[in-house]
Amino acid sequence: MDYILTQHAQELLLRRDIPISWVERTLENPSQIEPDKIDDALEHRLAGIPERGHRVLRVIVNKTTSPVKIVTFYFDRSMRGKL
């Protein structure tokens, strides 16, 4: 899947220990997709990451752009054990 990273997302790759391959995997094969509660253009894609003990990675994308734009991503502690 084609995508672009926002400046914020690019900075996260440098600051957090989350490989881009995990972000891409979640983007392409999410276990769950949720609409954003505030912005209709945003979509949350979630997937467990086996390499991190199945912690849930949340990737937030702007689905109205072509290609989709990755806005941010993080391990979602509130989703622990739910996927």
Side-chain angles (χ1 to χ4, degrees), residues 23-74:
V23 175
E24 291 171 343
R25 186 185 329 160
T26 302
L27 178 66
E28 294 173 3
N29 297 304
S31 298
Q32 186 171 316
I33 297 175
E34 300 175 350
D36 190 80
K37 294 177 182 174
I38 298 170
D39 188 340
D40 291 337
L42 300 180
E43 181 174 84
H44 298 232
R45 299 182 185 190
L46 299 92
I49 304 298
E51 298 90 335
R52 281 287 176 89
H54 295 280
R55 290 177 66 192
V56 176
L57 184 62
R58 180 178 293 266
V59 177
I60 302 174
V61 300
N62 183 329
K63 64 182 181 178
T64 65
T65 61
S66 183
V68 297
K69 186 181 294 184
I70 297 174
V71 178
T72 193
F73 53 88
Y74 57 92

